[in-house]
Amino acid sequence: AALELVRRATDAHEAALWQAGGGAEPASARLLARAASPGVVVPEPEVALEGHPFRLTLDEQVPQRWERGRKLLPSPWAAEMLLVPVDAPAGVLALAYPGIVPPGAESASVRAAEHLAALAVLLRTRAVAGREEGAMKALVDAARTLPGELDPEHFAAHLSATVLRTTGAAGAAVALAPDDTGKGRVLHASVADGRPPRLREYGEGDSRLALAVKHGVELAWDDLLREPERLALCTPDEEWDVAPRSAAVQPLLADGRALGAVVAWHPEPGRFGEREREFLRLLCSLAPLPLRSASRYVAVEQKATTDSLTGLPNRRTFEQKLAAAASRFDRYARPFSLVMLDVDHFKQVNDAWGHPAGDRVLQEVAAVLREGVRDLDLAARVGGEEFVLLLPETGLQAAAEVAERIRRTVEGRPVAWEGRTLAVTVSLGVAACPECAAAPNEALKLADEALYRAKGSGRNRVTLAPKLARAASIEDT
């Protein structure tokens, strides 16, 4: 609407506002807004400034009159054009005429440029105020909701999304400080557009994030490409679709110790000024105590559901998952299989080499189970040397193949212990519901019986529970 008024006041057939790109020496200008008489051809939305009439107007900061023939005009159809600098910033008001520029148009165009500059300032002020208001609302929302997040990964997702809203960052990540193993990990990464970067673990001093956590200090970089130290931003093996140029890291401090840190980044340099960093400080001042509470809650929950020696789910967790599988079977007739596993001659290992050697054997068997199952499967330790696999949506034959693969892997992976090599084998029993058991609660008993038959017939083998007569007859037909 403003440009239409300018067009009429200057008797132009076209009035267009262009803005040069950022930086001291912008390479191009893009069309911001345009008003024109019917039928006037729309110009290209972006032009290179090298050798362009806009360049002279921006450099000299005085109105320029251009005639056809002297240079290729920004509007090629025009006979004459007026180009007027506009502090918008680095803007140009381009007025195009099919004939000569009418008397009085130049003075009117200068006044119009002044009004457009004032309008641009107003719009920028409104935009900044809108962003500030949105950022404050995001901070208030974070203060209200973050303490209620008891899952650290959900907490990290909420926190990183709030960082994007408050700072204008293109991406943000939340990481935990290194644990007793010396490794910290990124809980969650969010991006405004596109695919999040691949961020995993970091160690002491191997990334900028690690340095901020180690020393408990905030760090920021205007342009990572100009930094002499080519250090990873988050993790040594990080993978980016669009690499960051500017970044800021804020530690999450509680009782003088960094529980982790928040990283914000942008692919453009110089995007984290004092305003953005202050919002990041405020946000991170809200986060440490809720993060510590969520981490403690998970630790307590994990202790109650996980076997401390092997890291596998314990009997309690297995029984809960088995009940859920039984419920799915009762309601939807969804099949599942069970594999019971026992370490052969385990007592002899303890007697000969001591309980620490036996613990190492159990840990190695647990590692094989963890590697040998799908994400939807469950491998659990349910007794001293007894393990069980719950395989949803799996029939007897497929479960038998899983069991045999695990048997071979354990047999082919002897355990190193104090300079010795301990040969380890396992016996396995397999049962499936409904192939072997009409009711889910019978499947575990049948798998256990199959396991004892495997042990009684020589060990280091897989034994299957018998199929129900009905299932066998259907398969035969």
Side-chain angles (χ1 to χ4, degrees), residues 84-316:
V84 185
V86 179
D87 185 18
V92 175
L93 171 62
L95 304 172
Y97 300 87
I100 63 172
V101 175
E106 185 169 330
S107 58
S109 68
V110 172
R111 291 194 299 272
E114 293 172 352
H115 288 301
L116 289 174
L119 179 61
V121 170
L122 176 62
L123 292 175
R124 289 200 302 274
T125 303
R126 285 182 59 185
V128 169
R131 289 196 299 270
E132 297 288 338
E133 182 181 2
M136 290 306 299
K137 286 182 178 178
L139 281 173
V140 171
D141 176 68
R144 185 178 67 253
T145 58
L146 283 177
E149 291 284 4
L150 293 180
D151 183 315
E153 294 189 3
H154 291 169
F155 174 91
H158 188 168
L159 180 57
S160 58
T162 307
V163 171
L164 300 186
R165 292 171 60 192
T166 55
T167 66
V174 179
L176 289 178
D179 56 18
D180 294 340
T181 67
K183 291 293 184 180
R185 66 187 179 96
V186 175
L187 283 173
H188 185 84
S190 297
V191 293
D193 295 299
R195 184 177 61 179
R198 193 174 183 182
L199 307 173
R200 299 186 188 88
E201 294 183 335
Y202 68 94
E204 184 176 328
D206 61 12
S207 68
R208 300 176 192 276
L209 162 64
L211 294 177
V213 171
K214 178 181 179 180
H215 299 291
V217 296
E218 63 175 270
L219 300 172
W221 303 270
D222 282 335
D223 192 346
L224 292 169
L225 292 184
R226 296 180 179 271
E227 291 294 317
E229 181 65 42
R230 294 300 183 193
L231 196 61
L233 177 58
C234 297
T235 64
D237 58 351
E238 62 193 18
E239 297 177 10
W240 304 88
D241 280 355
V242 181
R245 293 284 298 274
S246 52
V249 184
Q250 185 69 35
L252 299 172
L253 299 173
D255 300 328
R257 186 175 71 89
L259 305 178
V262 173
V263 186
W265 64 82
H266 202 283
E268 297 177 4
R271 292 300 296 262
F272 296 99
E274 186 56 33
R275 170 204 171 271
E276 290 77 17
R277 293 173 65 182
E278 183 60 29
F279 271 116
L280 192 58
R281 292 186 198 107
L282 287 172
L283 185 57
C284 290
S285 70
L286 303 171
L289 294 182
L291 176 60
R292 184 165 63 184
S293 298
S295 299
R296 286 175 175 174
Y297 176 83
V298 168
V300 171
E301 183 70 15
Q302 187 173 24
K303 187 175 181 180
T305 60
T306 305
D307 175 59
S308 59
L309 176 65
T310 63
L312 292 178
N314 59 16
R315 177 181 287 275
R316 172 190 171 189

